[in-house]
Amino acid sequence: MPSHHGTSSRSSLPLWQDDDGGSHASNSPTAMNSENFTLSEKTVPASYVRQASEARRGHERLIGRLLEQGKCPAEGWSEATVELFLNELAVMDSNNFLGNCGVGEREGRVASDIVARRHYRLSHGIGRSGDIAAVQPKAAGSSLLNKLTNSLALDVLKMAGVRSVKSCFVVPMATGMSLTLCFLTLRQRRPKARYVIWPRIDQKSCFKAMVTAGFVPVVVENVLEGDELRTDVEAAERQICRLGAESVLCVHSTTSCFAPRVPDRLAELAVLCAKYDLPHIVNNAYGVQSSKCMHLIQEGARVGRVDAFVQSLDKNFLVPVGGAIIAGFDEAFVEEISKTYPGRASASPSLDLLVTLLTLGAGGYKKLLSDRKGGAAGQGADHRRARVSRVYVALRVLPVPLPQRGGRRGRHPRGRGAVRQTAGQVPQDAAEGGKCG
Amino acid sequence: MPSHHGTSSRSSLPLWQDDDGGSHASNSPTAMNSENFTLSEKTVPASYVRQASEARRGHERLIGRLLEQGKCPAEGWSEATVELFLNELAVMDSNNFLGNCGVGEREGRVASDIVARRHYRLSHGIGRSGDIAAVQPKAAGSSLLNKLTNSLALDVLKMAGVRSVKSCFVVPMATGMSLTLCFLTLRQRRPKARYVIWPRIDQKSCFKAMVTAGFVPVVVENVLEGDELRTDVEAAERQICRLGAESVLCVHSTTSCFAPRVPDRLAELAVLCAKYDLPHIVNNAYGVQSSKCMHLIQEGARVGRVDAFVQSLDKNFLVPVGGAIIAGFDEAFVEEISKTYPGRASASPSLDLLVTLLTLGAGGYKKLLSDRKGGAAGQGADHRRARVSRVYVALRVLPVPLPQRGGRRGRHPRGRGAVRQTAGQVPQDAAEGGKCG
Amino acid sequence: MPSHHGTSSRSSLPLWQDDDGGSHASNSPTAMNSENFTLSEKTVPASYVRQASEARRGHERLIGRLLEQGKCPAEGWSEATVELFLNELAVMDSNNFLGNCGVGEREGRVASDIVARRHYRLSHGIGRSGDIAAVQPKAAGSSLLNKLTNSLALDVLKMAGVRSVKSCFVVPMATGMSLTLCFLTLRQRRPKARYVIWPRIDQKSCFKAMVTAGFVPVVVENVLEGDELRTDVEAAERQICRLGAESVLCVHSTTSCFAPRVPDRLAELAVLCAKYDLPHIVNNAYGVQSSKCMHLIQEGARVGRVDAFVQSLDKNFLVPVGGAIIAGFDEAFVEEISKTYPGRASASPSLDLLVTLLTLGAGGYKKLLSDRKGGAAGQGADHRRARVSRVYVALRVLPVPLPQRGGRRGRHPRGRGAVRQTAGQVPQDAAEGGKCG
Amino acid sequence: MPSHHGTSSRSSLPLWQDDDGGSHASNSPTAMNSENFTLSEKTVPASYVRQASEARRGHERLIGRLLEQGKCPAEGWSEATVELFLNELAVMDSNNFLGNCGVGEREGRVASDIVARRHYRLSHGIGRSGDIAAVQPKAAGSSLLNKLTNSLALDVLKMAGVRSVKSCFVVPMATGMSLTLCFLTLRQRRPKARYVIWPRIDQKSCFKAMVTAGFVPVVVENVLEGDELRTDVEAAERQICRLGAESVLCVHSTTSCFAPRVPDRLAELAVLCAKYDLPHIVNNAYGVQSSKCMHLIQEGARVGRVDAFVQSLDKNFLVPVGGAIIAGFDEAFVEEISKTYPGRASASPSLDLLVTLLTLGAGGYKKLLSDRKGGAAGQGADHRRARVSRVYVALRVLPVPLPQRGGRRGRHPRGRGAVRQTAGQVPQDAAEGGKCG
């Protein structure tokens, strides 16, 4: 069985994990500020300038530590330090090089001052045509921003409970489209696969993520245990056996959800994936703020197989809508996903995440998580009824035919809302193949 | 075969095209400002206040005209008016409702002040899970921003030469990923299709756009006419015939490119598509600024079939990297694409485009286009050599096997750089089917 | 001798105190927003627009209440509301009128965008050549800003303990220069006066305030009572008698100071001023944050005479250095001071104060005061030694001759630091005049 | 009679004039950026980082040249460089020192984020209690801002035509109040003086500037020569002789004015001042933009005596209202004025001027001047009638008695508008003293 782990040389993702730190160059650019501080002494007494330059070193040390460790700082930075840093990044990009305004197609030109300012003059986006996580020759500042943000995101995912996560990157797409990207990446590994095994969760965009990628979602209905709707792991295995593992793209599980649905039995699904050599993609949309969701992913990766887990930026990190983090336990696979994105991409969600994490610091982020824990509990109750009915209605109108559920009708407590499915899509004889017996 | 033109009721895309649109309401909210202006008269003489309120009406008239016509204003707005308008949009979103800061998961919360400010407190993103062009109940301001931007984009595309374009929308993805979205949408219409007919253009992200969507690019080499590399329309038709039209997803043509490659023979390809009832997707990456490229698209749609054309935001409109406009001549198909995007999306590229168009105005944008025309001409020459060799190298390393070109080897002036292709991917017998004779 | 209370018609200072102020106008400007909201319904469902326009009314009601009452709002405003309001003010100023960019000397033009933005495009300053508190015909917004700020400042002074204060205005000058302005105003009322009776306080700028205005400070040394240096009221009266009341410009007392100096016996000095019909100017530099200082002023005005009291903006309101509030118990006198300032003035300190008070709200400001109370107590002790010795040194080098203290040498516990004075300046026989004896 | 030129050691005004530059320290702070750039090489290829650090050096060189020369840069800086520099200044101030948020009265704290941002976190103001041009120990950045601005202002005054100006400083007060400060400074040198010789100019704030300072303006009516109202130098001399030079504080002349009034005969007045050893203060309110006004001042200083000339910031430099530059030909006297201002002061006008000059550059400022020249010419005509009548009305209501003009009634072409004056104020026998014969 071929490993899903590649052997890529990984030159493009963050290097902060490495302990040997790389080139501690002495080909350093010259000590600019020291010259300018000295010039300041013509005007302001040397002792005041010395104190001020000491103070600047304070900010620089923070930035230096960030660059060295690639980790979310323990304490949040002041807005002054954050903006100082963003300005430093901006002057590293070629659109802000002085005397660089000749004719022709200069990269990164921006027509509106309002727009230039709101992006802190960082206009090159992230990535290259080949890889959304790659560095750009003309945009060292934007590239650093991109790498740093990914590195801090990795740090926060570990901190939030998925300690063995190996690699991740921020994409300027919402969770649904990011899941689509994961499925499209897997297609290249599993060209014969047509189905995605999907324990039912009534969120329209998750469903669309599979359909848009061109796959047929195989809905596995949940079972009612007490008050809760829980994953029917046996039913999932039956579907895999029925369809044949090679025609299954992956198992697509979910952590964060609303009652009565509870998070999927992730560990058991992960074991199933390992058993059948199936990829496992986890929709962890709002799960970073939940220690339970994060623990499930960590546990899944420990006992079985989890290839990637995807989380939204907005609710988890309180930034504007439109970004996600794609993370995984195998650097090569995560890199493969990042290389599937065709072209450069907006740096805006990365910038928002970086600023937010620097401003909050690890401490502030933990506090935010614990503050929301209380709120989320109460809210769960509030949303219970509203959500369930709303999404059932939503799913009912889906235009795409779903494969038959194999006679499990009526198990669902709200059977009236069950999705109509056409049987013809799924070959009945597919169940004969694989290890199933 | 069903028409590719749908009959959707199109409630979600801009309505400014409608002529009967007029202001139906008299259930208007109350005249707030007039009250506050009156209160101001306690402090400042009534005549000054009257003059000031007249002046405010000037700004309001600009905003009113924008809302009424949905068109790029003739003259650019001052930054003061633009920011006034953005502030107005922001207070329409529920995250900025007063007294709305109770416990629980309020939508659109933002942790960092820096982040909130740089988005003008518009944090809900655009679209809904069902449709990136749809309005959000909790975010009337962001929804209006989204609709308006799409409407202005449509206006500018018309102004730039594609007069009969019917619908478009901005996506927070670069051109490549936007093309991928178009291909994924077509897959649902043409489930049996596996190939994309692609007159060769050496841009990595265009190639990846097809591969990522799960399709096999069928490269049609260009022919050398004088100094120029031009589309081999006959070769394209031969491929269609060889593969069978129903196994072809679409023709994927390109307008903007660097010498010696010239824009595709779009009209002839469009006629070909009409003849074989094939979709036609145009990569117009940097073409909005070129009256020639825009004319080709307009002409193609007139004499044949063009389903969608995709253009980048950054170079065409001088905004930061990361957005694109997907446009077409059939509202239903454009809406279908917008509904394929799973989930909400970042409003950042839309905001950038809106601000830029309002600031420049139609006049300013036209001037920008004509200024760049001169620059672009000289630049073409500069880039000629560099670009050609660079992208050949890039394509050489692509890991995905391409279908055989059918013995046309050696026609390309730089044959040494030709892409290696494996024949096995494309069924030889496919050529028998279709109308080809 | 004429009363120091004038009979000015006071058309220029805030009118919020008046009860009959109400909204007289029905010549209101038209309901702009309602039209634009209606236009929005072409795009976004009417129900969402209605909700958004309701939400806007929330912000407008806050602004309306501010305009109506001229008082610090109970709760602080969000930054969104504050910036909305500042934008509204800006569009009322003629430099932001549309189509108003013809040739010639347009008022309020600003060359740098950075500068324009940081002032929220409010560039006309405050006041007119005749009166720093007057409204400007071309700048209704800046005028409103000026009036409102003065009105809020008055409200806060009342709230902080000086309940019977009648009028005040913000000046873009520090406390020292503001005191100078008060002394220069008094000069016009008391053309023969040459001396200012000044219970010693070792702050250089207070001393300079008198000297710069052209007056001779008559230093009244404090007496040691227990640990504290307290006002020698009898000595002050002796000086008045010796010099003759008509040659005394005013008594210049101080509230906020560092130990061992304690606030002046303000009530007793106020009674003295009433007895000799002398103006009384109080340096209340950092006293707004001290309920004790504010109580002393209120009590002084109740039992005797206080003409004006001056407080710094920076420490009292946590804004950048450079502004002060001049306040008093007689509107006519305060207006007289405001009319003494020749020319228009910077609106920057007013803008800072307005934004700060709107952001904090009355509640936030009170909390700030009580938070600082704790800190200030500890600090007093810390500064005790350092301050006393530092300022003694400072005073010793003052170049201006002081009048003789009349043989009171040695009373001061740190006599070695006493200021050298020349006798010749003060006529010995002056003591015979007045009511003294 | 002692010269009005002092021998002060001038430690507080800009040192850029000096050639020996002072401490070229090698106790420089360490090469911070080089370390951080090196750290960046862990992430981004060293060659890109090297290019970026080269680019940063471009900005640093601009800043270095500014610090070294203290001159307006030839070409304007980009907003990116300007904001980079302001951020650097901010981190030099103690309120932005990290870890400096202990209890107690920390200097420079700002409550509102809006306020902090709009001042670029520079909150200490300028000057110290002893001198508005002095440096502050806790605010090296603000001090540098202050010094630099004054140095650039000096450079621009020279560039605009007053080549031999020696020293100047920016005050956060309008022209009128700045003139008042000059008069108050002179009072300390000329304690017996009561009168200011003032060739009539119908601007209310100039008149008030003298009255507020406690002096009696002696109006010298202009004479009609052809179309123009010109200075009656002989009448001025008669008044000096009549009053006695020692009772005259200074001559107060005016450059910028509206037709039919033309700029004063500055050279002749300057010669008069030299003859009678009288200070000469020039109101150059809007004159920096006029090469004619600047030439008059330069010429006056060359042939006679000019002590100080005062110009407004707003119209001359297109910044918001509220600042002025006080300049002179004797460093000691200018320093004396700066030391007369009691207390620290707002840095806001200095910040505006600095940003404007850096953004425009010398070239941009010259272009602005020449652009306005055209506009101003046309405007003169427009305002001719309106202004004359308006200000006559204004002067007529002035409450302060003016000294008799000595039988020159009726010379003024608009005699009906002449100011009523009471004779009693000016001693008739004063004319006997001095050198007058």
Side-chain angles (χ1 to χ4, degrees), chain B residues 16-298:
Chain B
W16 287 281
Q17 298 89 305
D18 304 346
D19 288 325
D20 63 324
S23 50
H24 11 269
S26 59
N27 64 340
S28 65
T30 40
M32 192 57 238
N33 278 309
S34 92
E35 291 169 21
N36 283 348
F37 275 118
T38 303
L39 286 168
S40 302
E41 292 173 14
K42 293 177 67 176
T43 318
V44 174
S47 61
Y48 302 175
V49 171
R50 214 168 297 129
Q51 189 187 26
S53 96
E54 266 311 301
R56 195 187 198 288
R57 275 195 68 84
H59 296 274
E60 286 163 353
R61 264 189 297 265
L62 289 182
I63 294 172
R65 206 173 306 145
L66 176 73
L67 291 171
E68 191 166 15
Q69 303 177 343
K71 294 210 160 88
C72 193
E75 280 180 56
W77 290 6
S78 69
E79 285 201 358
T81 308
V82 171
E83 296 201 326
L84 194 73
F85 180 48
L86 296 179
N87 279 322
E88 293 286 352
L89 290 180
V91 296
M92 293 176 77
D93 275 7
S94 60
N95 64 311
N96 297 313
F97 288 4
L98 296 170
N100 192 359
C101 30
V103 286
E105 289 293 318
R106 189 170 71 155
E107 294 274 330
R109 284 181 59 201
V110 170
S112 153
D113 280 348
I114 291 180
V115 172
R117 285 194 305 268
R118 82 179 201 87
H119 291 280
Y120 286 85
R121 304 183 210 288
L122 292 158
S123 57
H124 290 259
I126 54 173
R128 300 181 72 171
S129 54
D131 185 350
I132 197 180
V135 300
Q136 296 180 43
K138 292 188 180 175
S142 290
S143 299
L144 200 48
L145 161 74
N146 187 17
K147 293 291 190 186
L148 263 179
T149 307
N150 292 344
S151 182
L152 264 68
L154 193 72
D155 184 44
V156 169
L157 291 180
K158 286 177 182 169
M159 196 168 81
V162 185
R163 294 182 313 279
S164 60
V165 60
K166 279 291 178 305
S167 182
C168 76
F169 64 100
V170 171
V171 267
M173 306 191 297
T175 304
M177 193 71 188
S178 301
L179 287 167
T180 297
L181 190 68
C182 294
F183 301 139
L184 292 173
T185 305
L186 287 178
R187 174 198 296 278
Q188 295 171 37
R189 295 192 162 197
R190 302 175 71 83
K192 294 181 187 159
R194 294 185 56 205
Y195 304 103
V196 174
I197 304 295
W198 183 53
R200 176 168 178 162
I201 167 81
D202 292 337
Q203 289 170 357
K204 203 171 177 183
S205 62
C206 314
F207 185 84
K208 283 184 67 175
M210 298 175 281
V211 174
T212 290
F215 295 96
V216 180
V218 178
V219 178
V220 177
E221 294 291 345
N222 300 297
V223 290
L224 190 63
E225 299 185 4
D227 269 356
E228 302 175 339
L229 283 171
R230 305 209 59 189
T231 321
D232 188 341
V233 179
E234 286 165 30
E237 183 164 16
R238 270 196 302 277
Q239 291 286 23
I240 293 167
C241 292
R242 189 169 62 88
L243 300 166
E246 74 277 13
S247 63
V248 172
L249 185 81
C250 64
V251 171
H252 173 199
S253 66
T254 305
T255 57
S256 56
C257 55
F258 288 100
R261 173 68 150 91
V262 293
D264 274 325
R265 296 182 192 274
L266 222 72
E268 295 170 55
L269 290 172
V271 167
L272 199 66
C273 287
K275 178 177 172 191
Y276 291 98
D277 204 15
L278 275 180
H280 184 191
I281 305 292
V282 183
N283 172 3
N284 187 40
Y286 299 142
V288 182
Q289 45 187 332
S290 154
S291 55
K292 186 181 176 188
C293 293
M294 296 306 268
H295 175 72
L296 284 172
I297 294 169
Q298 173 66 25

Side-chain angles (χ1 to χ4, degrees), chain D residues 390-405:
Chain D
R390 181 167 69 78
V391 290
Y392 269 74
V393 170
L395 274 184
R396 210 180 297 140
V397 300
L398 285 171
V400 182
L402 297 171
Q404 199 171 31
R405 281 168 305 127

Side-chain angles (χ1 to χ4, degrees), chain C residues 304-356:
Chain C
R305 175 170 174 176
V306 173
D307 293 70
F309 56 107
V310 177
Q311 33 272 311
S312 170
L313 288 186
D314 57 342
K315 290 227 180 52
N316 287 315
F317 298 98
L318 297 185
V319 294
V321 163
I325 302 173
I326 300 177
F329 300 89
D330 172 32
E331 284 187 47
F333 179 59
V334 173
E335 184 181 14
E336 205 174 311
I337 304 173
S338 78
K339 287 190 166 165
T340 301
Y341 188 100
R344 288 189 288 171
S346 169
S348 202
S350 295
L351 178 56
D352 291 343
L353 180 60
L354 180 63
V355 167
T356 300

Side-chain angles (χ1 to χ4, degrees), chain B residues 227-392:
Chain B
D227 269 356
E228 302 175 339
L229 283 171
R230 305 209 59 189
T231 321
D232 188 341
V233 179
E234 286 165 30
E237 183 164 16
R238 270 196 302 277
Q239 291 286 23
I240 293 167
C241 292
R242 189 169 62 88
L243 300 166
E246 74 277 13
S247 63
V248 172
L249 185 81
C250 64
V251 171
H252 173 199
S253 66
T254 305
T255 57
S256 56
C257 55
F258 288 100
R261 173 68 150 91
V262 293
D264 274 325
R265 296 182 192 274
L266 222 72
E268 295 170 55
L269 290 172
V271 167
L272 199 66
C273 287
K275 178 177 172 191
Y276 291 98
D277 204 15
L278 275 180
H280 184 191
I281 305 292
V282 183
N283 172 3
N284 187 40
Y286 299 142
V288 182
Q289 45 187 332
S290 154
S291 55
K292 186 181 176 188
C293 293
M294 296 306 268
H295 175 72
L296 284 172
I297 294 169
Q298 173 66 25
E299 201 52 20
R302 194 180 63 81
V303 302
R305 175 169 172 176
V306 173
D307 293 69
F309 57 105
V310 177
Q311 33 272 312
S312 170
L313 288 186
D314 57 342
K315 290 225 180 53
N316 287 314
F317 298 98
L318 298 185
V319 294
V321 163
I325 302 174
I326 299 177
F329 300 88
D330 171 32
E331 284 187 49
F333 179 59
V334 174
E335 185 181 12
E336 205 174 311
I337 305 173
S338 79
K339 286 190 166 165
T340 301
Y341 188 100
R344 286 189 289 171
S346 169
S348 201
S350 295
L351 178 55
D352 290 343
L353 180 61
L354 180 63
V355 167
T356 300
L357 291 178
L358 292 178
T359 306
L360 290 174
Y365 186 63
K366 281 173 194 159
K367 188 172 177 312
L368 199 80
L369 293 187
S370 65
D371 288 355
R372 305 193 77 185
K373 216 163 182 173
Q379 171 212 18
D382 296 344
H383 283 68
R384 184 174 299 221
R385 208 147 347 131
R387 289 296 283 245
V388 171
S389 54
R390 181 167 71 77
V391 289
Y392 269 75

Side-chain angles (χ1 to χ4, degrees), chain D residues 60-123:
Chain D
E60 286 164 353
R61 264 189 297 266
L62 289 182
I63 294 172
R65 206 173 307 144
L66 176 73
L67 290 171
E68 191 166 16
Q69 303 177 345
K71 293 211 161 87
C72 193
E75 281 180 56
W77 290 5
S78 69
E79 286 201 357
T81 309
V82 171
E83 296 200 327
L84 194 73
F85 180 49
L86 295 179
N87 278 323
E88 293 285 353
L89 290 180
V91 297
M92 294 175 77
D93 275 6
S94 60
N95 64 312
N96 297 312
F97 288 5
L98 296 170
N100 192 359
C101 30
V103 286
E105 288 294 316
R106 189 169 72 153
E107 294 274 330
R109 282 181 61 202
V110 170
S112 154
D113 281 347
I114 291 180
V115 172
R117 286 194 306 269
R118 81 178 202 87
H119 291 280
Y120 287 84
R121 303 182 210 289
L122 293 158
S123 57

Side-chain angles (χ1 to χ4, degrees), chain C residues 79 105 110-111 114 118-120 123 130 174 187 208 212 315 318 321 339-340 344 348 352 372 379, chain D residues 105 110-111 114 117-120 123 130 174 187 208 212 315 318 321 339-340 344 348 352 372 379:
Chain C
E79 285 200 359
E105 289 293 318
V110 170
I114 292 180
R118 81 178 204 87
H119 291 280
Y120 288 84
S123 58
R187 174 199 295 279
K208 283 184 67 176
T212 289
K315 290 227 180 52
L318 297 185
V321 163
K339 287 190 166 165
T340 301
R344 288 189 288 171
S348 202
D352 291 343
R372 305 192 77 185
Q379 170 212 20
Chain D
E105 288 294 316
V110 170
I114 291 180
R117 286 194 306 269
R118 81 178 202 87
H119 291 280
Y120 287 84
S123 57
R187 175 200 295 277
K208 284 183 67 177
T212 289
K315 291 227 180 51
L318 297 185
V321 162
K339 287 190 166 165
T340 301
R344 287 189 287 171
S348 202
D352 291 343
R372 306 192 76 187
Q379 171 212 21

Side-chain angles (χ1 to χ4, degrees), chain C residues 112-377:
Chain C
S112 154
D113 281 347
I114 292 180
V115 171
R117 286 194 305 268
R118 81 178 204 87
H119 291 280
Y120 288 84
R121 305 182 209 288
L122 293 158
S123 58
H124 290 258
I126 54 173
R128 299 182 72 172
S129 54
D131 185 350
I132 197 180
V135 299
Q136 295 181 43
K138 293 188 179 175
S142 290
S143 299
L144 201 48
L145 162 73
N146 187 17
K147 292 292 190 187
L148 263 178
T149 307
N150 292 344
S151 182
L152 264 69
L154 193 73
D155 183 45
V156 169
L157 291 179
K158 287 177 181 169
M159 195 168 82
V162 184
R163 292 181 314 279
S164 59
V165 61
K166 279 290 176 308
S167 182
C168 76
F169 64 100
V170 171
V171 267
M173 306 191 296
T175 305
M177 193 71 188
S178 301
L179 287 167
T180 297
L181 190 68
C182 293
F183 300 139
L184 292 173
T185 305
L186 288 177
R187 174 199 295 279
Q188 294 171 39
R189 295 190 162 197
R190 301 174 73 83
K192 293 180 188 162
R194 293 186 56 206
Y195 304 104
V196 174
I197 303 294
W198 184 52
R200 176 169 180 163
I201 169 80
D202 292 337
Q203 290 170 357
K204 203 172 177 183
S205 62
C206 313
F207 185 83
K208 283 184 67 176
M210 298 176 282
V211 173
T212 289
F215 295 97
V216 179
V218 177
V219 178
V220 177
E221 294 292 345
N222 300 296
V223 290
L224 191 63
E225 298 187 3
D227 269 357
E228 301 175 340
L229 283 171
R230 305 209 59 189
T231 321
D232 188 341
V233 181
E234 285 165 31
E237 182 162 16
R238 270 195 302 275
Q239 291 286 24
I240 293 166
C241 292
R242 189 168 62 88
L243 298 165
E246 73 277 13
S247 62
V248 171
L249 185 82
C250 65
V251 171
H252 174 200
S253 66
T254 305
T255 57
S256 57
C257 56
F258 289 100
R261 172 68 150 92
V262 294
D264 273 326
R265 297 181 190 276
L266 222 72
E268 295 170 56
L269 289 172
V271 166
L272 199 66
C273 287
K275 177 177 171 191
Y276 290 98
D277 204 13
L278 275 179
H280 183 192
I281 305 292
V282 182
N283 172 4
N284 187 40
Y286 300 143
V288 182
Q289 47 188 331
S290 153
S291 54
K292 186 181 176 188
C293 292
M294 295 306 268
H295 176 73
L296 284 173
I297 294 168
Q298 172 65 24
E299 200 52 19
R302 195 181 62 81
V303 302
R305 175 170 174 176
V306 173
D307 293 70
F309 56 107
V310 177
Q311 33 272 311
S312 170
L313 288 186
D314 57 342
K315 290 227 180 52
N316 287 315
F317 298 98
L318 297 185
V319 294
V321 163
I325 302 173
I326 300 177
F329 300 89
D330 172 32
E331 284 187 47
F333 179 59
V334 173
E335 184 181 14
E336 205 174 311
I337 304 173
S338 78
K339 287 190 166 165
T340 301
Y341 188 100
R344 288 189 288 171
S346 169
S348 202
S350 295
L351 178 56
D352 291 343
L353 180 60
L354 180 63
V355 167
T356 300
L357 291 178
L358 291 179
T359 306
L360 290 174
Y365 186 63
K366 279 173 193 159
K367 187 172 178 312
L368 199 80
L369 293 187
S370 65
D371 288 355
R372 305 192 77 185
K373 215 163 181 174

